[in-house]
Amino acid sequence: MSHKPFWRNSKVAVIGAGSWGSVLANLAAPNCREVRLWTRSEEQARAINATRFNAQNWPEMRLHERIRAISEPERAFEGGVDVVIWALPSIAARIQAKEFAKYFHGQEILLHATKGIEAGTLKRISQILREEIPCPRVGVISGPNLAKEIARGEPAATVVASHYKEVIEAGQEILTNDRFRVYGDEDVIGVEWAGTLKNILAIASGALDGLKLGWNTRATLITRGLAEMVRFGKAMGAEEGTFLGLAGVGDLLATCSSPDSRNYRVGYGIAEGHKLEDILKNLGSTAEGVGTAETVHKFAQAKGILMPITEGVYHLIHQDLTAREVLHKLMTRPLVE
Amino acid sequence: MTSPIVRFDPHPMVNGPLTTFNQVRPKILTDVVQRTMQDLSQIPSESLLSEALFLERMRMKRLRANLFTMPRKRRDQKLWGRVQSGIVRSAAEVDRKRMLEGVVGHLADEIGGHFNPKIYSFATAALPYGFSWLLNAASVQRFLPWGMTQSLRERLRIVGNVDEIRKLSQKGTILLVPTHQSNIDSLLIGWIIHLMGLPPFAYGAGLNLFSNPFFSFFMSNLGAYTVDRQKSNTIYKHTLKNYSTRILREGVHSIFFPGGGRSRSGAIESRLKLGLLGTGLEAQIENLREGKPNPNIYIVPMVMSYNFVLEASSLIEDYLVEAGKHRFIAIDEDSLPQAKLVNFLWKLFSSQSGVTVRIGKAMDIFGNFVDENGMSIGPNGTTIDAKRWLTTRGELRPEAQRDQEFTRELGSRIVDRFHKENTVLSSHLVAFAFFETLKARYPDLDLYRFMRLTLPQRSFPFKEFLESAERYHQTVMQAADRGNLYMEDELRFAPTEKWVRDGIAQLGIFHEAGVIKIHDQSVYTEDMSLLYYYRNRLTGYGFGDEVKK
């Protein structure tokens, strides 16, 4: 039973024309009738429509002709859309969700591609969207997806997780091509937390490279870091197996190994002795792991979940310990029997 | 606070779809059979019949029928005897489909209720007199301070969104979902509905209640349909579901106990049976597809709070056995012995006690709140069009997996509302505070060892208890201010010692063993299980942890 004709004829709105949002729009475009790429900047929208390039993020990636950049939200939702891909950073997720609520009709499939959580409340992005937007069918896209590589058309895969089968179906039908595979999963909690927690380890991984350390150290970090992710994830209601999949260890390996990751660059910069504010200023965009490390560390401490690496990263970003001191502290913890 | 909108004087029946139910009953049953046959068409009839035959034989073997349930048991035995002799013959000789249809027909007829307006009018008129009589006789005996002026109004407090539910009953079909603590619920609910000025509701009542000829006569003529939780076969489950959907589609306001049976632990339901709940969604989808004028089904939670519960002892024993050892429990039909019931009602109404019934905020079938015009309200000032929510791939239609998920979400919304619409009474809080204070003295004991403490170990100074109770009172009051639950006024504004003594007295009215007793400056419990039962009413709010901090 194929529902292809419906999806081929569908309308997709991508909210956020950042680096990942633009790539997702380009993945979706060949699989549907039209993609509306929303960006807050009217100027950027005009430039994209005129040049077919998103000069800010991808000067070398041509955008598909079915993509139309739009800066007014009402026009992005005009006449109703079938799929909405939410590609905004986690920082202002709730405020933006409140703004967009009125444009939704309720039949949309809402997929978000945001890695992060709400500081303080520990709410996942899908929870925030569900609370603020009158649209029940929500899912998440997450996996080892360094935008740059996918923009170049290198083979990769991702996970779409939702409690609703039709959300998974939409994700698969809209995003799949011969170089991009989409796997379905029901463990929304696990997929969202895996995508969030790995950002903390990406900072740690960057710090190791900043200290010019080798593969043994990194392998130890990734393995023990994964154990922390599983412990925390299970406490939040996730399934252990999810962390062994693409959205878990898959994403973790990609993020911890790539110097392109913003979180990695934060860790690298700190290990080299730079100030956090300066690093963030140079990045020009957010690094989700910074806020996440703080929130997760505090919660884990309150609940008695053992997360020594996360604690180390917390000290790194607060700059009350140097990278070497953190490493020393981790290595001299009492041995586990 | 007493709701002035509830009329307590005798008043006529409000007409509703159920009033003319008996005229459409045959048509409804035919539809149910047809629909059930359609549902089951994917499964071979022979395997359905064999499964049901086996399960029914097992059930009847365990069933201890009484004088009144005997005829029903005999009818069942006859039916399944016929099925057995049919199934051993070849399919060419005996058509399996027709056999299945016969079984479905039998079950649908068993489930299907009747409605007799005359009996309804009689019952609703007689019931308050019965209660008032009981009440006044009891009050006369007790003289002061409440005396004869004590009115029913003060004993049965119906509070909350009564006006709203009345308005909504004109705009769509109400599905009332109450918490379930006691068999008394089933008796009071019909009357509560009437008092609120609503047309009669249909409700699924446990078969055990029909074992008493008195109740059986009234209930089966007041729109109650039977739910036999012991029947676990596929055919029965489908038939029951389709019956429920069908009468909702007929526009008959209905009542389900979403928790299934009575709460064994005494806690407010935290897990619901989603099967029956899903029929609301199913009915609305079909209504929308048919373009019916008032297609909406409104879910209205209702929380009933008793200071003491008729079956508390047997419920908590069941719960402890089940939770402890998963031991096999024989089916106990648990019929209501009249003497016990009269004794309970007497005590309930003769004391300064009563029942608080809170009508919760109405929701749509997804768990969104609805306004009094029946519009679903979404977050951030949005309104919700159910048709859009029920559209999959561009088409408005049922979609099994999606609908299951919608129902799961609705279930968790109901659980949340149950907790928030709960009214804390003094007996609940005193039991909770006492249990938690005692438990804190034995931090290393697990529940089962804790429950077996000796009498001297279960007592401590009354003064110490008052201090602790005060802290729990504070915590619950803060939660009430945050909108996490309600607190009755007498409890909220009373000085500590007063509400503590009142709560203890309430528990003492009905339970001979002291749930909590004060003697010689110390306070203790004689019945740990009952204490645990009443304490459980306040679980699920995190009060224990909050106070310890």
Side-chain angles (χ1 to χ4, degrees):
Chain A
M1 190 169 66
S2 170
H3 304 295
K4 271 204 189 332
F6 176 81
W7 299 112
R8 292 299 160 267
N9 198 32
S10 65
K11 287 180 275 183
V12 176
V14 177
I15 308 299
S19 54
W20 189 214
S22 309
V23 172
L24 285 167
N26 239 6
L27 284 171
N31 292 326
C32 62
R33 195 170 70 186
E34 60 170 290
V35 175
R36 299 153 178 195
L37 180 60
W38 178 84
T39 163
R40 194 176 290 280
S41 149
E42 205 185 317
E43 198 183 334
Q44 190 190 16
R46 253 201 309 267
I48 288 176
N49 290 333
T51 65
R52 298 277 96 215
F53 284 96
N54 179 350
Q56 216 173 318
N57 296 297
W58 304 115
E60 73 286 7
M61 180 182 75
R62 192 182 164 76
L63 290 170
H64 197 283
E65 55 272 15
R66 278 183 215 150
I67 298 174
R68 192 158 48 99
I70 291 173
S71 62
E72 301 101 327
E74 49 279 318
R75 277 190 53 223
F77 283 83
E78 204 166 45
V81 293
D82 304 293
V83 179
V84 178
I85 297 176
W86 184 272
L88 295 171
S90 74
I91 301 288
R94 191 176 290 278
I95 295 166
Q96 276 156 330
K98 277 181 201 288
E99 276 175 34
F100 275 95
K102 59 178 171 290
Y103 305 114
F104 281 80
H105 294 115
Q107 85 283 1
E108 300 88 353
I109 301 288
L110 174 55
L111 283 165
H112 82 82
T114 307
K115 289 170 183 173
I117 38 153
E118 188 173 51
T121 66
L122 264 92
K123 283 197 172 150
R124 294 171 282 114
I125 303 297
S126 71
Q127 287 176 298
I128 296 170
L129 297 179
R130 187 70 185 76
E131 282 171 14
E132 300 295 342
I133 294 176
C135 176
R137 282 164 276 186
V138 177
V140 50
I141 309 170
S142 186
N145 303 142
L146 298 166
K148 199 186 215 172
E149 296 173 15
I150 295 169
R152 285 198 296 254
E154 295 177 15
T158 198
V159 173
V160 167
S162 175
H163 298 302
Y164 293 89
K165 282 206 174 105
E166 51 192 298
V167 174
I168 295 172
E169 177 190 306
Q172 291 184 318
E173 291 293 340
I174 292 295
L175 297 174
T176 302
N177 63 46
D178 58 1
R179 282 150 297 145
F180 195 69
R181 278 181 72 75
V182 179
Y183 291 84
D185 201 322
E186 286 170 17
D187 183 15
V188 180
I189 300 178
V191 168
E192 289 192 279
W193 271 111
T196 301
L197 292 167
K198 59 100 214 225
N199 285 334
I200 303 172
L201 299 172
I203 296 178
S205 176
L208 290 187
D209 278 4
L211 296 175
K212 311 287 182 258
L213 295 166
W215 290 101
N216 292 338
T217 324
R218 195 202 317 254
T220 307
L221 169 78
I222 290 175
T223 316
R224 295 314 303 159
L226 185 64
E228 277 184 26
M229 284 170 62
V230 170
R231 267 201 296 272
F232 191 87
K234 279 170 80 177
M236 302 309 287
E239 284 164 37
E240 192 164 347
T242 307
F243 292 87
L244 296 178
L246 279 174
V249 73
D251 196 7
L252 182 62
L253 286 173
T255 320
C256 286
S257 319
S258 160
D260 291 333
S261 143
R262 290 187 291 265
N263 296 298
Y264 174 98
R265 273 146 71 186
V266 168
Y268 195 96
I270 291 177
E272 283 196 323
H274 298 292
K275 274 214 153 78
L276 182 67
E277 306 97 82
D278 299 338
I279 302 166
L280 290 177
K281 212 179 283 164
N282 279 337
L283 276 178
S285 57
T286 53
E288 304 272 12
V290 175
T292 307
E294 171 129 21
T295 309
V296 169
H297 166 63
K298 286 192 173 148
F299 184 79
Q301 214 172 26
K303 294 278 163 183
I305 306 166
L306 183 64
M307 298 186 89
I309 299 174
T310 303
E311 188 180 341
V313 172
Y314 171 83
H315 288 304
L316 266 192
I317 56 177
H318 276 257
Q319 302 201 299
D320 48 9
L321 291 176
T322 67
R324 285 206 182 278
E325 284 165 343
V326 168
L327 194 56
H328 179 75
K329 212 175 150 206
L330 283 170
M331 294 307 290
T332 53
R333 288 176 59 233
L335 290 174
V336 183
E337 274 175 41
Chain B
M1 278 228 272
T2 313
S3 169
I5 29 194
V6 176
R7 295 176 294 174
F8 275 86
D9 319 311
H11 57 281
M13 175 174 73
V14 178
N15 278 317
L18 202 53
T19 323
T20 51
F21 184 75
N22 280 359
Q23 289 156 28
V24 287
R25 188 179 189 269
K27 169 87 177 88
I28 286 179
L29 292 189
T30 314
D31 285 358
V32 170
V33 173
Q34 201 185 350
R35 185 61 197 263
T36 308
M37 290 302 287
Q38 210 176 33
D39 282 1
L40 296 175
S41 65
Q42 300 300 320
I43 314 170
S45 303
E46 174 129 3
S47 59
L48 283 167
L49 288 166
S50 317
E51 178 220 40
L53 181 60
F54 171 74
L55 291 171
E56 282 295 276
R57 285 245 181 272
M58 294 285 286
R59 179 183 69 84
M60 286 187 283
K61 211 186 242 172
R62 280 180 297 165
L63 182 71
R64 294 190 297 254
N66 66 18
L67 189 61
F68 307 113
T69 50
M70 214 42 182
R72 193 188 285 272
K73 186 173 176 178
R74 290 227 182 83
R75 278 202 302 277
D76 284 351
Q77 276 168 335
K78 233 167 104 190
L79 170 82
W80 293 106
R82 279 207 308 277
V83 170
Q84 172 140 25
S85 57
I87 224 160
V88 291
R89 286 156 69 195
S90 76
E93 255 180 289
V94 185
D95 183 20
R96 301 319 197 221
K97 269 253 138 56
R98 281 194 49 197
M99 244 162 69
L100 180 63
E101 201 168 337
V103 171
V104 175
H106 173 96
L107 294 175
D109 192 59
E110 178 198 290
I111 294 164
H114 295 264
F115 185 81
N116 187 329
K118 284 197 188 119
I119 296 176
Y120 185 86
S121 297
F122 169 71
T124 48
L127 208 60
Y129 285 122
F131 279 135
S132 331
W133 167 78
L134 198 60
L135 194 113
N136 287 332
S139 305
V140 170
Q141 273 203 342
R142 306 189 98 234
F143 298 107
L144 292 167
W146 309 290
M148 296 185 67
T149 54
Q150 184 66 12
S151 72
L152 207 50
R153 179 180 309 226
E154 278 157 69
R155 303 296 167 81
L156 185 61
R157 304 173 196 186
I158 306 173
V159 295
N161 302 333
V162 177
D163 252 346
E164 187 190 18
I165 183 176
R166 214 182 278 143
K167 278 185 192 139
L168 288 176
S169 73
Q170 311 284 321
K171 296 187 163 33
T173 309
I174 307 278
L175 182 48
L176 189 69
V177 286
T179 52
H180 196 8
Q181 285 203 282
S182 166
N183 281 328
I184 301 289
D185 298 344
S186 308
L187 296 177
L188 288 184
I189 282 177
W191 193 43
I192 291 167
I193 297 279
H194 178 72
L195 285 176
M196 290 195 290
L198 291 168
F201 277 43
Y203 59 112
L207 191 60
N208 52 335
L209 289 175
F210 288 85
S211 63
N212 178 315
F214 176 75
F215 294 129
S216 178
F217 173 76
F218 278 102
M219 301 206 0
S220 58
N221 284 298
L222 298 178
Y225 56 94
T226 51
V227 176
D228 187 350
R229 282 193 305 276
Q230 306 300 339
K231 291 197 176 91
S232 54
N233 64 75
T234 314
I235 308 174
Y236 183 77
K237 282 186 196 159
H238 278 268
T239 313
L240 178 62
K241 241 184 98 179
N242 286 327
Y243 182 81
S244 159
T245 311
R246 184 61 185 77
I247 58 169
L248 281 170
R249 286 182 52 212
E250 194 66 29
V252 175
H253 307 307
S254 303
I255 301 169
F256 299 159
F257 290 114
R262 292 160 296 166
S263 163
R264 311 254 145 190
S265 67
I268 287 180
E269 286 86 341
S270 57
R271 281 216 178 141
L272 306 184
K273 302 262 186 226
L274 299 177
L276 264 191
L277 198 57
T279 59
L281 181 60
E282 215 177 309
Q284 177 151 348
I285 295 173
E286 286 180 37
N287 285 350
L288 287 170
R289 276 159 66 90
E290 282 172 14
K292 281 213 178 131
N294 292 319
N296 290 352
I297 311 286
Y298 300 115
I299 313 290
V300 180
M302 173 169 126
V303 181
M304 303 174 80
S305 299
Y306 297 88
N307 264 310
F308 46 87
V309 173
L310 174 64
E311 311 98 310
S313 304
S314 63
L315 288 171
I316 192 67
E317 288 311 327
D318 274 7
Y319 173 78
L320 289 171
V321 169
E322 231 169 293
K325 299 190 227 112
H326 301 284
R327 207 173 67 188
F328 175 72
I329 303 167
I331 301 176
D332 177 10
E333 278 288 277
D334 198 18
S335 55
L336 280 173
Q338 245 119 304
K340 199 176 160 196
L341 179 71
V342 169
N343 177 37
F344 173 81
L345 291 174
W346 178 277
K347 285 181 165 167
L348 183 64
F349 289 115
S350 68
S351 61
Q352 193 202 19
S353 196
V355 183
T356 301
V357 180
R358 183 172 293 277
I359 305 297
K361 275 193 191 170
M363 300 186 282
D364 65 10
I365 38 162
F366 310 106
N368 302 301
F369 287 131
V370 295
D371 65 14
E372 55 173 35
N373 297 316
M375 283 282 270
S376 298
I377 305 300
N380 296 306
T382 53
T383 51
I384 281 160
D385 179 0
K387 277 191 196 153
R388 302 276 199 146
W389 283 44
L390 296 168
T391 294
T392 282
R393 291 183 215 96
E395 202 191 328
L396 168 66
R397 59 185 167 87
E399 175 80 20
Q401 198 274 332
R402 175 201 72 192
D403 295 344
Q404 200 184 326
E405 192 54 31
F406 278 151
T407 305
R408 200 185 57 79
E409 287 197 24
L410 172 64
S412 53
R413 289 285 293 146
I414 292 175
V415 166
D416 179 54
R417 293 315 300 169
F418 273 173
H419 285 83
K420 295 200 164 114
E421 307 278 5
N422 179 23
T423 308
V424 187
L425 308 180
S426 57
S427 64
H428 307 153
L429 186 55
V430 83
F432 188 81
F434 184 77
F435 186 94
E436 295 296 312
T437 311
L438 188 62
K439 187 86 178 63
R441 296 169 80 95
Y442 303 95
D444 299 330
L445 295 188
D446 65 25
L447 180 67
Y448 290 89
R449 283 170 56 206
F450 177 68
M451 300 288 278
R452 285 199 293 270
L453 289 178
T454 61
L455 199 57
Q457 287 172 316
R458 298 181 212 152
S459 83
F460 55 92
F462 183 57
K463 226 180 127 210
E464 193 184 321
F465 178 53
L466 283 181
E467 281 163 25
S468 171
E470 167 89 49
R471 283 200 298 279
Y472 282 98
H473 188 271
Q474 282 291 329
T475 307
V476 171
M477 209 155 76
Q478 282 157 11
D481 291 340
R482 285 196 299 269
N484 288 346
L485 79 177
Y486 289 89
M487 216 172 177
E488 65 168 352
D489 285 353
E490 290 90 328
L491 171 59
R492 190 182 182 110
F493 300 112
T496 309
E497 184 157 352
K498 183 171 184 309
W499 71 257
V500 165
R501 284 188 186 275
D502 176 64
I504 293 175
Q506 292 286 358
L507 292 170
I509 290 170
F510 185 63
H511 296 293
E512 271 134 40
V515 182
I516 301 174
K517 275 194 167 169
I518 309 169
H519 180 72
D520 204 18
Q521 298 304 311
S522 67
V523 59
Y524 63 99
T525 176
E526 286 174 351
D527 193 325
M528 283 294 257
S529 304
L530 276 177
L531 176 71
Y532 184 55
Y533 176 85
Y534 287 105
R535 168 263 182 197
N536 284 345
R537 182 80 181 173
L538 290 178
T539 50
Y541 294 94
F543 291 146
D545 298 340
E546 224 170 289
V547 171
K548 267 168 223 148
K549 268 187 216 163

